[in-house]
RNA sequence: GUGGUUGUAGCUCAGUUGGUUAGAGCAUCAGAUUGUGGUUCUGAGGGUCGGGGGUUCGAGACCCCUCAAUCACCCCA
C-alpha cells in the first residue's frame, strides 16, 4: 500500500463525526435564522490584495497563498521589485482567513443592492497557516453572524442573546461570556498618558490570567512603560466587583477621557437594558482585548466551562469602519463568530452530544436469500416511505456475520424472516433486547 | 516562527547496557463449536519498527536531517 497522508493541520471526518458536527451546525443555523439573519456564502479564495494587511503583521504571515496557474509565472516573478511584491504577483489568490473581511468585501461590492441594515450569517471553512495544536487546525469552520448598517446597540444585545441561546441548546449552559469595549481600552491608554502604546498595553493585560500579575508588569515594562504608568494600568485591571460597580468606578476614572466614557456608557446600556435575561450573563473583563485590530466598540469572547482546557470558542465585536478599508466609509457593523471545531472538542470531552446526533440507520434487514428477497425488499421500501432510515444487507451470507455487522454499526433494529412464522416479520431491538413478530400492517404502525 | 516530548501490526502497547527469524491483547479473515445466533476453540493473514542518511561486525534502540502528532511560547477559533 502506498503511504498516504493529508496536509498538516487538516482532518478527515468520519460518518459519526460528520453527524455530530452537523448537529452543531444545525443548532447554530436554527438560532441565526430565528433571529432573522440571512445566509451568505463567499468563495474559498479571495484576491490576495483583498486579504493582505487586514489581520496585522502576524496575520499576513498566516494567510495561505495560492500560486498562480499558467505557464508564465517566471516572467511574472521577474517583474517584482521586492519580496512582498513578489508574493502579490505570484499569488494573486489566497484562501480566506476569516469570514468577516470577505463579508465586508461583499457588502462594498453590493451596497447598492443591499437593504440596510443587512443581517447575514455564514458558515464556511477558513484556512490559517498556523502551527497545529489541540483545538488549533489549519482548516476549520467559522459560523458568523453580522449586522451592518446599524449603529444601534440593540444589535449587540441580540447577538449576545444568540450566544446564550445556542450554547444552552447545545447543553453548554455553563459557558462563560466576557465583554469589554475597545473605547475603554483607549480610555485606559489615555488615562495612563500613553495613547501611543494602546496596542502594547492591551496585548500585555490580555495575558493576565495566563502569566499573572507580575508577568503583566514585566511585559508592560518590556513594552516601554514607566513604573508609575504600570502602576496605573495594574490598578485599572484589578478593579473588582459587579459589572455595575466596575462601570461606576471607570466613569470616575475617565472624567478626562470622552472616549472612555463613551465605552462605559455603551456597556452600561448593553448589560442594563433589561431587554433580555442570560443564563450565563456577560461579565465585564477589563483585560479582554481580542486580536483583530478593526474592532472599535464592544468586544466579546466566549470561553468554555472553567474545567475544560480550551481557549476561546467564540468571539466578536463592533467595527465601525470595516468597509472603509475598501473605500466605502460610514457603514458600521457588529458580529459574532462560533468556533465549531473547538465547540466539538468541548462537547466531546463533556459527552454532551445527544443520541439523536449520532444515529444513522434505524433498521437493517438481513438478506433473506434469493427466493424471499422481493418480499423483504418490499418491507424495506415500506419503512423508507414512512421516513424511517432503513437498509438491507446486500449479500446473502451467514446471519452470524450480518448480525455482527448490525451490532458494530449500532443499528437499533434488526428485521428478518423466520421459517416458522410465514407472513410475519421478526424484529429485534438491540438495546432493549426485545423481540417482535409483526404482520406488515403492524409493522406500518410500529414505533421504531 | 522558537523550544520540549513522542512515533513499533488496523487499535492499545511490550521489546533488557546495541546481539539470532520483532512480540502480546483486541480487531480482521477462515474453519469448527454453540439450545437464549452476541459464546468458546483452533488456525491464518497483517510490520522496509514514521521517512532518509550515518556510526557499528551487528541498529527498533545510538547520532544527524526530515515528516507527523502533542505540549509550552508567539498568536488565535
Amino acid at each position: 500500500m502506498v503511504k498516504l497522508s493529508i496536509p498538516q493541520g487538516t482532518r478527515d471526518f468520519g460518518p459519526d463525526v460528520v453527524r455530530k458536527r452537523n448537529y452543531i451546525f444545525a443548532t447554530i443555523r436554527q438560532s441565526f435564522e430565528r433571529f432573522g439573519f440571512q445566509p451568505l456564502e463567499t468563495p474559498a479564495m479571495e484576491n490576495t490584495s483583498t486579504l493582505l494587511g487586514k489581520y496585522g503583521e502576524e496575520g499576513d504571515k498566516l494567510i495561505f497563498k495560492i500560486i498562480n496557474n499558467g505557464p508564465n509565472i517566471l516572467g511574472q516573478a521577474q517583474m517584482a521589485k521586492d519580496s512582498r511584491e513578489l508574493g502579490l504577483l505570484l499569488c494573486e489568490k489566497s484562501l480566506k482567513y476569516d469570514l468577516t473581511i470577505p463579508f465586508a468585501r461583499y457588502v462594498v461590492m453590493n451596497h447598492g443592492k443591499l437593504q440596510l441594515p443587512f443581517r447575514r450569517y455564514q458558515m464556511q471553512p477558513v484556512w490559517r497557516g498556523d502551527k497545529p495544536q489541540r483545538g488549533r487546525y489549519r482548516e476549520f469552520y467559522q459560523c458568523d453572524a453580522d449586522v451592518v448598517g446599524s449603529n444601534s446597540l440593540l444589535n449587540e444585545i441580540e447577538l449576545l442573546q444568540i450566544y446564550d441561546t445556542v450554547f444552552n441548546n447545545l447543553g453548554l449552559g455553563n459557558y462563560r461570556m466576557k465583554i469589554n469595549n475597545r473605547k475603554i481600552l483607549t480610555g485606559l491608554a489615555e488615562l495612563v498618558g500613553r495613547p501611543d502604546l494602546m496596542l502594547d498595553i492591551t496585548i500585555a493585560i490580555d495575558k493576565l490570567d495566563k502569566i499573572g500579575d507580575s508577568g503583566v508588569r514585566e511585559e508592560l515594562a518590556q513594552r516601554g512603560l514607566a513604573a508609575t504608568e504600570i502602576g496605573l494600568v495594574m490598578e485599572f485591571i484589578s478593579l473588582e466587583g459587579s459589572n455595575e460597580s466596575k462601570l461606576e468606578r471607570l466613569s470616575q476614572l475617565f472624567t478626562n477621557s470622552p472616549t472612555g466614557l463613551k465605552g462605559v456608557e455603551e456597556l452600561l446600556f448593553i448589560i442594563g437594558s433589561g431587554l433580555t435575561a442570560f443564563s450565563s450573563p456577560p461579565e465585564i473583563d477589563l483585560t479582554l482585548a481580542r486580536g483583530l485590530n478593526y474592532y472599535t466598540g464592544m468586544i466579546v469572547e466566549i470561553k468554555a466551562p472553567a474545567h475544560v482546557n480550551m481557549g476561546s470558542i467564540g468571539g466578536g465585536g463592533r467595527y465601525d469602519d470595516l468597509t472603509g478599508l475598501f473605500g466605502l466609509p460610514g457603514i458600521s457593523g457588529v458580529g459574532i463568530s462560533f468556533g465549531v471545531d473547538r465547540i466539538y472538542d468541548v462537547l466531546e470531552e463533556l459527552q454532551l452530544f445527544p443520541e439523536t446526533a449520532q444515529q444513522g440507520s434505524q433498521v437493517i434487514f438481513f438478506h433473506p436469500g434469493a427466493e424471499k428477497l422481493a418480499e423483504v425488499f418490499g418491507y424495506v421500501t415500506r419503512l423508507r416511505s414512512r421516513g424511517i432510515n432503513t437498509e438491507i444487507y446486500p449479500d446473502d451470507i451467514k446471519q452470524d456475520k450480518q448480525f455482527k455487522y448490525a451490532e458494530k454499526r449500532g443499528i437499533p433494529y434488526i428485521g428478518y424472516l423466520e421459517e416458522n412464522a410465514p407472513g410475519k416479520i421478526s424484529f429485534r431491538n438491540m438495546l432493549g433486547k426485545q423481540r417482535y413478530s409483526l404482520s406488515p400492517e403492524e409493522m406500518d404502525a410500529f414505533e421504531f
Side-chain angles (χ1 to χ4, degrees):
Chain A
M1 219 180 344
V2 186
K3 191 100 185 178
L4 297 174
S5 66
I6 55 177
Q8 187 184 29
T10 64
R11 296 152 299 159
D12 289 320
F13 301 114
D16 51 333
V17 178
V18 172
R19 281 216 168 79
K20 290 191 245 180
R21 287 169 62 88
N22 284 345
Y23 159 76
I24 299 175
F25 286 128
T27 305
I28 295 172
R29 178 179 287 111
Q30 183 193 43
S31 286
F32 284 169
E33 291 278 351
R34 188 79 79 240
F35 280 75
F37 286 75
Q38 302 182 80
L40 175 73
E41 294 190 12
T42 64
M45 54 190 139
E46 293 279 344
N47 292 330
T48 301
S49 57
T50 303
L51 303 183
L52 275 183
K54 308 302 190 299
Y55 307 106
E57 206 175 317
E58 284 295 321
D60 277 359
K61 287 187 213 157
L62 301 180
I63 293 172
F64 271 110
K65 298 181 184 67
I66 303 168
I67 197 156
N68 296 345
N69 35 15
N72 198 27
I73 53 174
L74 266 180
Q76 290 170 333
Q78 281 159 6
M79 292 163 61
K81 294 192 199 76
D82 55 39
S83 58
R84 191 192 120 81
E85 205 179 328
L86 183 70
L88 274 168
L89 281 169
L90 243 51
C91 304
E92 290 167 354
K93 302 171 289 293
S94 293
L95 293 173
K96 68 183 168 208
Y97 180 89
D98 74 352
L99 302 179
T100 309
I101 293 295
F103 174 53
R105 191 263 308 148
Y106 172 85
V107 169
V108 173
M109 284 178 67
N110 295 277
H111 75 279
K113 295 178 244 169
L114 291 176
Q115 295 293 315
L116 296 183
F118 179 54
R119 298 153 79 81
R120 86 87 173 76
Y121 73 90
Q122 193 169 350
M123 308 172 58
Q124 290 191 277
V126 300
W127 293 266
R128 295 183 188 178
D130 232 330
K131 188 165 178 175
Q133 287 183 25
R134 171 184 158 82
R136 172 186 278 182
Y137 308 100
R138 288 187 155 182
E139 178 185 65
F140 62 97
Y141 269 74
Q142 288 191 331
C143 299
D144 281 24
D146 289 79
V147 186
V148 293
S150 165
N151 292 309
S152 169
L153 293 171
L154 184 57
N155 297 305
E156 271 85 337
I157 292 171
E158 283 199 279
L159 288 167
L160 297 185
Q161 215 182 344
I162 289 179
Y163 268 142
D164 203 55
T165 308
V166 167
F167 285 117
N168 269 295
N169 289 345
L170 290 173
L172 263 184
N174 54 346
Y175 75 100
R176 294 165 294 160
M177 186 190 300
K178 311 261 187 185
I179 62 170
N180 196 5
N181 195 301
R182 270 295 166 98
K183 296 188 178 79
I184 289 178
L185 293 170
T186 305
L188 166 64
E190 290 172 7
L191 185 73
V192 173
R194 298 304 296 269
D196 55 316
L197 289 181
M198 183 222 171
L199 218 59
D200 291 274
I201 295 171
T202 56
I203 289 171
I205 65 177
D206 192 38
K207 297 179 186 169
L208 178 66
D209 55 347
K210 216 178 229 175
I211 61 178
D213 212 85
S214 57
V216 173
R217 286 174 182 275
E218 221 167 280
E219 176 124 6
L220 285 169
Q222 277 172 16
R223 288 174 184 271
L225 267 78
T228 53
E229 294 166 345
I230 293 173
L232 282 170
V233 172
M234 299 312 290
E235 190 186 337
F236 174 91
I237 62 174
S238 59
L239 282 182
E240 293 288 340
S242 67
N243 288 339
E244 288 75 11
S245 63
K246 278 182 194 165
L247 289 178
E248 196 183 323
R249 184 80 187 98
L250 285 180
S251 60
Q252 293 164 1
L253 288 170
F254 284 152
T255 43
N256 292 321
S257 168
T259 308
L261 278 178
K262 186 81 168 64
V264 172
E265 188 187 310
E266 288 177 10
L267 283 192
L268 204 54
F269 180 81
I270 291 166
I271 64 164
S273 70
L275 291 171
T276 182
F278 293 96
S279 75
S280 188
E283 182 196 332
I284 292 177
D285 179 352
L286 297 173
T287 69
L288 177 64
R290 292 196 53 75
L292 298 174
N293 45 24
Y294 48 63
Y295 291 122
T296 55
M298 180 199 80
I299 48 183
V300 54
E301 190 157 295
I302 305 298
K303 293 186 187 271
H307 52 288
V308 181
N309 176 25
M310 182 64 71
S312 84
I313 55 177
R318 178 171 287 273
Y319 38 89
D320 276 333
D321 200 24
L322 200 55
T323 59
L325 293 169
F326 300 121
L328 180 68
I331 295 184
S332 182
V334 56
I336 57 172
S337 178
F338 289 85
V340 171
D341 301 81
R342 285 187 174 179
I343 292 171
Y344 180 97
D345 288 344
V346 172
L347 293 185
E348 185 77 352
E349 185 170 337
L350 299 179
Q351 304 192 327
L352 287 175
F353 284 107
E355 280 299 316
T356 51
Q358 304 176 49
Q359 190 55 57
S361 288
Q362 192 72 3
V363 182
I364 183 168
F365 279 90
F366 285 164
H367 195 293
E371 65 280 9
K372 295 267 177 79
L373 180 59
E375 179 188 346
V376 165
F377 199 77
Y379 301 145
V380 171
T381 306
R382 268 165 96 143
L383 287 187
R384 283 176 178 163
S385 56
R386 262 182 70 193
I388 293 170
N389 298 341
T390 306
E391 55 188 282
I392 176 169
Y393 197 91
D395 298 292
D396 184 9
I397 60 170
K398 289 166 80 171
Q399 287 207 353
D400 187 30
K401 307 288 175 199
Q402 301 189 47
F403 194 94
K404 281 187 177 169
Y405 178 82
E407 191 184 28
K408 290 250 168 63
R409 288 275 312 279
I411 299 171
Y413 284 93
I414 294 176
Y416 57 101
L417 300 184
E418 280 185 302
E419 292 291 335
N420 54 5
K424 296 266 192 172
I425 310 127
S426 297
F427 288 99
R428 284 182 67 167
N429 183 327
M430 301 295 284
L431 298 171
K433 299 187 176 179
Q434 300 96 334
R435 295 153 178 268
Y436 306 92
S437 183
L438 307 177
S439 69
E441 292 71 29
E442 288 169 330
M443 181 187 80
D444 286 340
F446 190 81
E447 291 292 327
F448 287 99

